[in-house]
Amino acid sequence: MLVGPSIDVCWGGGIPNCGDVADYSATRHRQDNEPTQTAEAFPTDVDPGDLKRVSTVNRVRSLTGIRAVAALLVVATHAAYGTGKETHGYVGLLYSRLEIGVPIFFVLSGFLLFSPWVKAAAKGSTPPRVRRYMWRRVRRVMPAYVVIVLLAYLVYQFRPDGPNPGQTWMGLFRYLTLTQIYTGNYMLTYQHQGLTQMWSLAVEVAFYAALPLLSYLLLVVLCRGRWRPELLLAGLAALAAVAPAWLIALHTSDWLPSAAGMWLPAYLGCFAGGMALAVLRAMGARCYGFAVIPLALVCYLIVSTPIAGDVGMSPVKVWEPLAKAVFYAIIATLVVAPLALDDRGWYARMLSSRPLVWLGEISYEIFLIHVIMMAIATDSVLRRPAFTGSMMELFVVTLMMTVPLAWVLHRAVHRDGTLGASSHATIPVYANA
């Protein structure tokens, strides 16, 4: 259902992210062959610069690990829908809300991509160069995406899977330009059965395009070019408020087409949450998993009630998308917050584990491929009718088919978007659902 950024984003003007990224790149080969460590594992007489580097490495690893979790959640919710389990009462709602993986990616995007602007403002240095930023985003996202879109149109040319309105030349153009969601009724015009998750990538790309302008409005216009973090956080709160206002307009008026619920304004709460974490990090704030993860779980149980709507075809009440948008933004921000704000406890260590980091590094490719693989797994491997069978079985078989292909695609298309480049040149941190 979605995609996001990578920590390999290191934009001009001498701004680190780049400092942290350089520290990581210099030790990447050694770290890959050593056990995951935290700063507490080192003796107290270690040079402070080394401790900072280790802290940076562990933060990058844990942020990569949460990408894996988000991608697995997206695959799981699609497996629930593919086997009809989302209709099974409260348990079905719990399954359907696993789509929270998409908002987690959005929060990661907000945090990682806004951080260079925040660091520049805090240090009074030159902000990122927009042209270089945009080019890096294109190189990061588009090569693998174009490969999978073309593959999907080829595969579904030979699949007799009922109505598939996106399987047209205009549909192909729309997907290649990530404009498929900008239509009156997306599901009846351009939705492609093998690319249903790509709506969230269209939202991501819209955020990429809007971020330089948002940064200018927040840091230059609102804060007048000075480091005023409290005012900046107030501006981000106003930005987050755009999402409920947009959803109210969508569900109470005829101003917007039905597909507008999939556009960027409806998800600005999630992106603003990640951007706020970037500001809090620059302010030196800390957050701990033991304090916020239980709260996130409670919020997840609440949003899994009918307060945020069910999965049936009954008319949507205006408070249902509002509740979902608010709770998803809160949950996703809470999940990312300890990792962004230097928690070094059990939560960060768990997400820094080698299997999760490895899956996190190919999570974007998993996101791109898994819907096609799930359809093939259902029809050709498990040989089950749609909306039947075991959710866990479909989830496992899909991953077994998807992960090797995702690894191959990841190796073929370098993380910075160039074919055949060294796999250790930059730092990964992202995917989509």
mmCIF file of all heavy atoms in Angstrom, residues 65 69 95-96 99 141 160 165 174 181 237 244 252-253 294 302 335 349 366 397 399 428:
data_model
loop_
_atom_site.group_PDB
_atom_site.id
_atom_site.type_symbol
_atom_site.label_atom_id
_atom_site.label_comp_id
_atom_site.label_asym_id
_atom_site.label_seq_id
_atom_site.Cartn_x
_atom_site.Cartn_y
_atom_site.Cartn_z
ATOM 1 N N GLY A 65 15.155 -1.179 10.403
ATOM 2 C CA GLY A 65 14.349 -2.285 10.919
ATOM 3 C C GLY A 65 12.864 -1.971 10.950
ATOM 4 O O GLY A 65 12.031 -2.838 10.646
ATOM 5 N N VAL A 69 9.306 -3.898 9.413
ATOM 6 C CA VAL A 69 8.047 -4.132 10.111
ATOM 7 C C VAL A 69 6.885 -3.524 9.337
ATOM 8 O O VAL A 69 5.837 -4.159 9.154
ATOM 9 C CB VAL A 69 8.110 -3.553 11.540
ATOM 10 C CG1 VAL A 69 6.749 -3.629 12.213
ATOM 11 C CG2 VAL A 69 9.147 -4.300 12.367
ATOM 12 N N TYR A 95 -7.094 -7.146 11.646
ATOM 13 C CA TYR A 95 -6.317 -7.478 10.447
ATOM 14 C C TYR A 95 -6.298 -6.306 9.463
ATOM 15 O O TYR A 95 -5.252 -5.974 8.899
ATOM 16 C CB TYR A 95 -6.915 -8.702 9.753
ATOM 17 C CG TYR A 95 -6.694 -10.018 10.467
ATOM 18 C CD1 TYR A 95 -7.653 -11.027 10.402
ATOM 19 C CD2 TYR A 95 -5.541 -10.251 11.196
ATOM 20 C CE1 TYR A 95 -7.455 -12.242 11.045
ATOM 21 C CE2 TYR A 95 -5.342 -11.460 11.844
ATOM 22 C CZ TYR A 95 -6.305 -12.447 11.769
ATOM 23 O OH TYR A 95 -6.106 -13.642 12.414
ATOM 24 N N SER A 96 -7.463 -5.707 9.229
ATOM 25 C CA SER A 96 -7.530 -4.638 8.235
ATOM 26 C C SER A 96 -6.710 -3.428 8.661
ATOM 27 O O SER A 96 -6.145 -2.723 7.822
ATOM 28 C CB SER A 96 -8.982 -4.220 7.993
ATOM 29 O OG SER A 96 -9.519 -3.538 9.120
ATOM 30 N N GLU A 99 -2.883 -2.095 7.916
ATOM 31 C CA GLU A 99 -2.485 -1.093 6.932
ATOM 32 C C GLU A 99 -1.758 0.077 7.588
ATOM 33 O O GLU A 99 -1.276 0.977 6.896
ATOM 34 C CB GLU A 99 -3.709 -0.591 6.179
ATOM 35 C CG GLU A 99 -4.700 0.163 7.062
ATOM 36 C CD GLU A 99 -5.976 0.535 6.333
ATOM 37 O OE1 GLU A 99 -6.126 0.162 5.146
ATOM 38 O OE2 GLU A 99 -6.829 1.202 6.946
ATOM 39 N N VAL A 141 13.581 6.346 -6.345
ATOM 40 C CA VAL A 141 12.259 5.731 -6.451
ATOM 41 C C VAL A 141 11.995 5.116 -7.819
ATOM 42 O O VAL A 141 11.458 4.006 -7.919
ATOM 43 C CB VAL A 141 11.167 6.780 -6.114
ATOM 44 C CG1 VAL A 141 9.781 6.248 -6.455
ATOM 45 C CG2 VAL A 141 11.239 7.172 -4.646
ATOM 46 N N PRO A 160 -6.570 -13.598 -16.773
ATOM 47 C CA PRO A 160 -7.988 -13.257 -16.973
ATOM 48 C C PRO A 160 -8.673 -12.893 -15.660
ATOM 49 O O PRO A 160 -9.693 -13.469 -15.291
ATOM 50 C CB PRO A 160 -8.556 -14.558 -17.554
ATOM 51 C CG PRO A 160 -7.749 -15.631 -16.882
ATOM 52 C CD PRO A 160 -6.363 -15.048 -16.666
ATOM 53 N N PRO A 165 -9.549 -2.101 -14.809
ATOM 54 C CA PRO A 165 -9.634 -0.873 -15.612
ATOM 55 C C PRO A 165 -8.294 -0.202 -15.883
ATOM 56 O O PRO A 165 -8.164 0.547 -16.844
ATOM 57 C CB PRO A 165 -10.544 0.039 -14.769
ATOM 58 C CG PRO A 165 -10.493 -0.527 -13.383
ATOM 59 C CD PRO A 165 -10.314 -2.000 -13.555
ATOM 60 N N ARG A 174 -0.504 6.677 -16.819
ATOM 61 C CA ARG A 174 -0.822 7.231 -15.497
ATOM 62 C C ARG A 174 0.069 6.619 -14.418
ATOM 63 O O ARG A 174 0.560 7.327 -13.534
ATOM 64 C CB ARG A 174 -2.289 6.991 -15.167
ATOM 65 C CG ARG A 174 -3.261 7.834 -15.963
ATOM 66 C CD ARG A 174 -3.223 9.280 -15.488
ATOM 67 N NE ARG A 174 -4.408 10.016 -15.873
ATOM 68 C CZ ARG A 174 -5.114 10.810 -15.086
ATOM 69 N NH1 ARG A 174 -4.740 10.970 -13.827
ATOM 70 N NH2 ARG A 174 -6.167 11.455 -15.535
ATOM 71 N N ILE A 181 -4.017 8.306 -9.276
ATOM 72 C CA ILE A 181 -5.032 8.600 -8.260
ATOM 73 C C ILE A 181 -5.752 9.914 -8.515
ATOM 74 O O ILE A 181 -6.766 10.202 -7.865
ATOM 75 C CB ILE A 181 -4.426 8.617 -6.840
ATOM 76 C CG1 ILE A 181 -3.359 9.710 -6.726
ATOM 77 C CG2 ILE A 181 -3.860 7.256 -6.495
ATOM 78 C CD1 ILE A 181 -2.810 9.866 -5.308
ATOM 79 N N ALA A 237 1.693 21.738 13.576
ATOM 80 C CA ALA A 237 0.361 21.382 14.075
ATOM 81 C C ALA A 237 -0.717 21.908 13.132
ATOM 82 O O ALA A 237 -1.719 21.211 12.853
ATOM 83 C CB ALA A 237 0.163 21.937 15.484
ATOM 84 N N PRO A 244 -7.723 16.602 8.682
ATOM 85 C CA PRO A 244 -9.146 16.497 9.041
ATOM 86 C C PRO A 244 -10.023 17.499 8.297
ATOM 87 O O PRO A 244 -11.170 17.171 7.948
ATOM 88 C CB PRO A 244 -9.153 16.751 10.554
ATOM 89 C CG PRO A 244 -7.845 17.360 10.881
ATOM 90 C CD PRO A 244 -6.886 16.855 9.863
ATOM 91 N N THR A 252 -18.573 15.943 3.295
ATOM 92 C CA THR A 252 -19.754 16.765 3.568
ATOM 93 C C THR A 252 -20.092 17.703 2.418
ATOM 94 O O THR A 252 -21.031 18.497 2.538
ATOM 95 C CB THR A 252 -19.547 17.604 4.847
ATOM 96 O OG1 THR A 252 -18.408 18.458 4.686
ATOM 97 C CG2 THR A 252 -19.352 16.704 6.060
ATOM 98 N N SER A 253 -19.354 17.632 1.326
ATOM 99 C CA SER A 253 -19.613 18.525 0.200
ATOM 100 C C SER A 253 -19.301 17.808 -1.103
ATOM 101 O O SER A 253 -18.818 16.671 -1.110
ATOM 102 C CB SER A 253 -18.755 19.790 0.319
ATOM 103 O OG SER A 253 -17.389 19.492 0.064
ATOM 104 N N PRO A 294 3.388 0.991 24.495
ATOM 105 C CA PRO A 294 2.083 0.571 25.043
ATOM 106 C C PRO A 294 0.949 1.516 24.659
ATOM 107 O O PRO A 294 -0.169 1.067 24.379
ATOM 108 C CB PRO A 294 2.333 0.568 26.558
ATOM 109 C CG PRO A 294 3.799 0.341 26.698
ATOM 110 C CD PRO A 294 4.412 1.086 25.546
ATOM 111 N N ILE A 302 -8.110 0.680 19.862
ATOM 112 C CA ILE A 302 -9.249 1.593 19.752
ATOM 113 C C ILE A 302 -9.631 1.812 18.299
ATOM 114 O O ILE A 302 -10.809 1.734 17.924
ATOM 115 C CB ILE A 302 -8.935 2.940 20.439
ATOM 116 C CG1 ILE A 302 -8.765 2.738 21.942
ATOM 117 C CG2 ILE A 302 -10.052 3.947 20.167
ATOM 118 C CD1 ILE A 302 -8.289 3.970 22.674
ATOM 119 N N VAL A 335 5.279 5.083 17.105
ATOM 120 C CA VAL A 335 6.119 3.937 16.766
ATOM 121 C C VAL A 335 7.516 4.382 16.312
ATOM 122 O O VAL A 335 8.523 3.742 16.629
ATOM 123 C CB VAL A 335 5.424 3.093 15.674
ATOM 124 C CG1 VAL A 335 6.386 2.105 15.050
ATOM 125 C CG2 VAL A 335 4.227 2.350 16.260
ATOM 126 N N ARG A 349 16.931 -1.941 20.120
ATOM 127 C CA ARG A 349 17.785 -3.122 19.903
ATOM 128 C C ARG A 349 17.061 -4.186 19.098
ATOM 129 O O ARG A 349 17.652 -4.833 18.228
ATOM 130 C CB ARG A 349 18.242 -3.684 21.253
ATOM 131 C CG ARG A 349 19.246 -2.806 21.981
ATOM 132 C CD ARG A 349 19.948 -3.576 23.086
ATOM 133 N NE ARG A 349 19.017 -4.060 24.099
ATOM 134 C CZ ARG A 349 18.671 -3.383 25.193
ATOM 135 N NH1 ARG A 349 19.170 -2.164 25.399
ATOM 136 N NH2 ARG A 349 17.840 -3.892 26.064
ATOM 137 N N ILE A 366 10.163 -5.166 -1.735
ATOM 138 C CA ILE A 366 9.074 -6.031 -1.268
ATOM 139 C C ILE A 366 7.738 -5.362 -1.516
ATOM 140 O O ILE A 366 6.780 -5.986 -1.995
ATOM 141 C CB ILE A 366 9.257 -6.355 0.232
ATOM 142 C CG1 ILE A 366 10.466 -7.280 0.430
ATOM 143 C CG2 ILE A 366 7.995 -6.993 0.815
ATOM 144 C CD1 ILE A 366 10.823 -7.519 1.881
ATOM 145 N N VAL A 397 3.648 -17.810 2.004
ATOM 146 C CA VAL A 397 3.976 -18.176 0.626
ATOM 147 C C VAL A 397 4.318 -16.930 -0.187
ATOM 148 O O VAL A 397 5.265 -16.934 -0.990
ATOM 149 C CB VAL A 397 2.810 -18.951 -0.018
ATOM 150 C CG1 VAL A 397 3.054 -19.157 -1.506
ATOM 151 C CG2 VAL A 397 2.629 -20.299 0.677
ATOM 152 N N LEU A 399 5.610 -14.127 0.916
ATOM 153 C CA LEU A 399 6.944 -13.670 1.301
ATOM 154 C C LEU A 399 8.028 -14.570 0.715
ATOM 155 O O LEU A 399 9.081 -14.076 0.269
ATOM 156 C CB LEU A 399 7.069 -13.628 2.821
ATOM 157 C CG LEU A 399 6.433 -12.441 3.533
ATOM 158 C CD1 LEU A 399 6.686 -12.528 5.036
ATOM 159 C CD2 LEU A 399 6.965 -11.109 2.994
ATOM 160 N N PRO A 428 20.618 2.746 3.117
ATOM 161 C CA PRO A 428 19.211 2.617 2.819
ATOM 162 C C PRO A 428 18.382 3.084 3.993
ATOM 163 O O PRO A 428 18.832 2.984 5.096
ATOM 164 C CB PRO A 428 19.037 1.119 2.651
ATOM 165 C CG PRO A 428 20.047 0.554 3.543
ATOM 166 C CD PRO A 428 21.193 1.532 3.574
#
